[in-house]
């Protein structure tokens, strides 16, 4: 005997670019939108009956139509708008998850833009017909400290070869997500959270990347009272001192090899004490 477990379906990575024109001054929003719906989906799995299905092509078309009808402001607002539409308009859909990656552009003139080199802004909105919740975030925020980082005192066993260090490069590509309690000024909150992450990374004298992770999450909670939980993924972008002795050269912390893999991966969450629980799903 088998029973259908949790399931969802949707349209992944619908790329939509919305240009808003105010005379000669144009504005651009560049999004990658992924929708995922769940609800009364037992029959489609067991017998192939599609009566409950809102086609993924329809979901894609809705993204484009809403971009025209409603415009695109903050990605979080657009994600919530779509999620509520899918659930409220379809009796067989009980939960919608809308995830958005936003790509930044810098203005070069009234109608000219250059794709910037900043991180990718992210958000995920959930709606189940009764409540909604939003997780904002970013990925690929690459940061590096050339000093003020150590790593020593760790467990040593028969397989340990790593030497201890009192001075090293600390580098990572930050993936961070933060959960809001209620709605907020999404754009302002994003910039505050981003700056808090950067400030904490720069200001923390690090004895471990775990310590830095906690400092970064704590700084976001301090600077952003609307945020109740922060989750971080920090790959350790290892920089190894190159041995220049074969060439008759000293290397006093000046020349490094930047390894791309394997790498340490540090993950963790920092929560505000007494924070309300998330909805049925975080991701």
């Amino acid at each position: 005997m088998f029973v259908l477990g949790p399931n969802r379906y949707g349209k992944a990575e619908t790329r939509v670019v919305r240009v808003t024109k105010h005379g000669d001054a144009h504005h651009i929003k560049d999004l990658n939108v992924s929708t995922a719906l769940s609800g009364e989906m037992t029959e489609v799995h067991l017998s192939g009956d599609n009566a409950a299905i809102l086609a993924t092509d329809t979901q894609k078309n809705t993204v484009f139509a809403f971009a025209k009808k409603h415009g695109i402001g903050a990605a979080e607002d657009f994600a919530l708008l779509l999620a509520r539409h899918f659930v409220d308009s379809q009796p067989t859909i009980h939960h919608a998850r809308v995830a958005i990656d936003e790509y930044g552009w810098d203005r070069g003139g009234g109608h000219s833009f250059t794709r910037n080199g900043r991180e990718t802004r992210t958000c995920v909105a959930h709606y189940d017909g009764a409540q909604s919740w939003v997780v904002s975030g970013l990925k690929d925020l690459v940061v590096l400290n050339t000093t003020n980082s150590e790593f020593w005192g760790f467990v040593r066993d028969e397989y340990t070869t790593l030497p201890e260090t009192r001075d090293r490069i600390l580098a990572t590509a930050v993936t961070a997500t933060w959960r809001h309690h209620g709605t907020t000024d999404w754009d302002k909150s994003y910039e505050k959270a981003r700056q808090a992450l950067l400030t904490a990374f720069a200001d923390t004298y690090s004895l471990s990347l775990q310590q830095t992770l906690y400092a970064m999450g704590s700084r976001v909670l301090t600077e952003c009272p609307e945020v109740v939980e922060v989750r971080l993924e920090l790959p350790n972008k290892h920089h190894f001192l190159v041995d220049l002795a074969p060439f008759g050269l000293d290397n006093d912390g000046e020349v490094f090899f930047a390894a791309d893999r394997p790498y340490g991966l540090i993950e963790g969450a920092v929560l505000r004490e007494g924070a309300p629980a998330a909805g049925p799903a975080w991701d």
Side-chain angles (χ1 to χ4, degrees):
M1 182 65 179
F2 306 105
V3 177
L4 179 67
N7 61 87
R8 61 189 181 192
Y9 78 102
K11 200 68 162 182
E13 300 196 46
T14 298
R15 285 298 304 275
V16 56
V17 176
R18 176 60 153 96
V19 178
T20 303
K21 302 176 181 179
H22 298 291
D24 292 335
H26 295 182
H27 304 272
I28 189 171
K29 281 284 186 174
D30 184 356
L31 308 181
N32 195 28
V33 182
S34 294
T35 57
L37 311 179
S38 59
E40 299 172 19
M41 301 298 156
T42 300
E43 279 307 311
V44 69
H45 286 87
L46 301 188
S47 67
D49 182 348
N50 292 314
I53 292 293
L54 181 70
T56 65
D57 190 68
T58 302
Q59 297 175 44
K60 174 204 70 179
N61 292 340
T62 304
V63 172
F64 292 132
F66 274 38
K68 170 59 179 176
K69 290 172 61 177
H70 303 285
I72 300 175
E76 288 87 348
D77 284 329
F78 192 62
L80 281 169
L81 185 69
L82 289 166
R84 288 168 176 155
H85 166 78
F86 290 130
V87 174
D88 291 342
S89 66
Q90 302 298 325
T92 59
I93 305 300
H94 300 164
H95 182 275
R97 174 189 186 273
V98 179
I100 295 179
D101 288 350
E102 180 175 355
Y103 309 111
W105 293 82
D106 291 331
R107 180 182 301 280
H111 58 270
S112 182
F113 298 86
T114 302
R115 177 75 173 268
N116 67 35
R118 281 181 54 156
E119 73 288 344
T120 300
R121 179 172 171 175
T122 65
C123 75
V124 179
H126 292 266
Y127 177 64
D128 65 4
Q131 63 174 330
S132 60
W133 57 99
V134 176
V135 177
S136 299
L138 54 81
K139 59 185 179 181
D140 297 326
L141 177 64
V142 180
V143 291
L144 181 150
N145 287 335
T146 56
T147 190
N148 287 354
S149 176
E150 305 180 19
F151 189 57
W152 53 272
F154 47 85
V155 172
R156 305 198 73 88
D157 66 10
E158 64 270 32
Y159 302 111
T160 302
T161 59
L162 184 71
E164 296 185 340
T165 179
R166 303 288 176 147
D167 187 19
R168 66 172 180 170
I169 285 179
L170 184 66
T172 187
V174 180
T175 295
T177 50
W178 49 90
R179 179 165 58 93
H180 301 268
H181 181 48
T183 59
T184 186
D185 183 330
W186 307 114
D187 292 338
K188 183 178 180 181
S189 180
Y190 177 83
E191 291 300 331
K192 286 196 303 178
R194 179 183 187 273
Q195 187 57 53
L197 292 169
L198 293 174
T199 301
F201 181 82
D203 288 353
T204 300
Y205 191 107
S206 180
L207 298 177
S208 68
L209 192 49
Q210 287 89 339
Q211 176 198 9
T212 300
L213 180 150
Y214 186 77
M216 294 170 74
S218 299
R219 185 68 67 95
V220 173
L221 294 177
T222 299
E223 299 296 330
C224 304
E226 70 278 8
V227 173
V228 295
E229 181 177 357
V230 182
R231 296 189 183 183
L232 290 152
E233 297 178 15
L234 303 180
N236 196 339
K237 299 293 188 179
H238 301 296
H239 288 67
F240 297 112
L241 199 66
V242 177
D243 181 9
L244 299 178
F247 317 117
L249 299 172
D250 294 328
N251 190 3
D252 187 18
E254 297 173 318
V255 180
F256 297 85
F257 167 66
D260 99 314
R261 67 194 63 181
Y263 53 86
L265 180 60
I266 312 304
E267 301 173 280
V270 185
L271 294 81
R272 194 179 300 280
E273 188 174 4
W282 162 276
D283 64 347

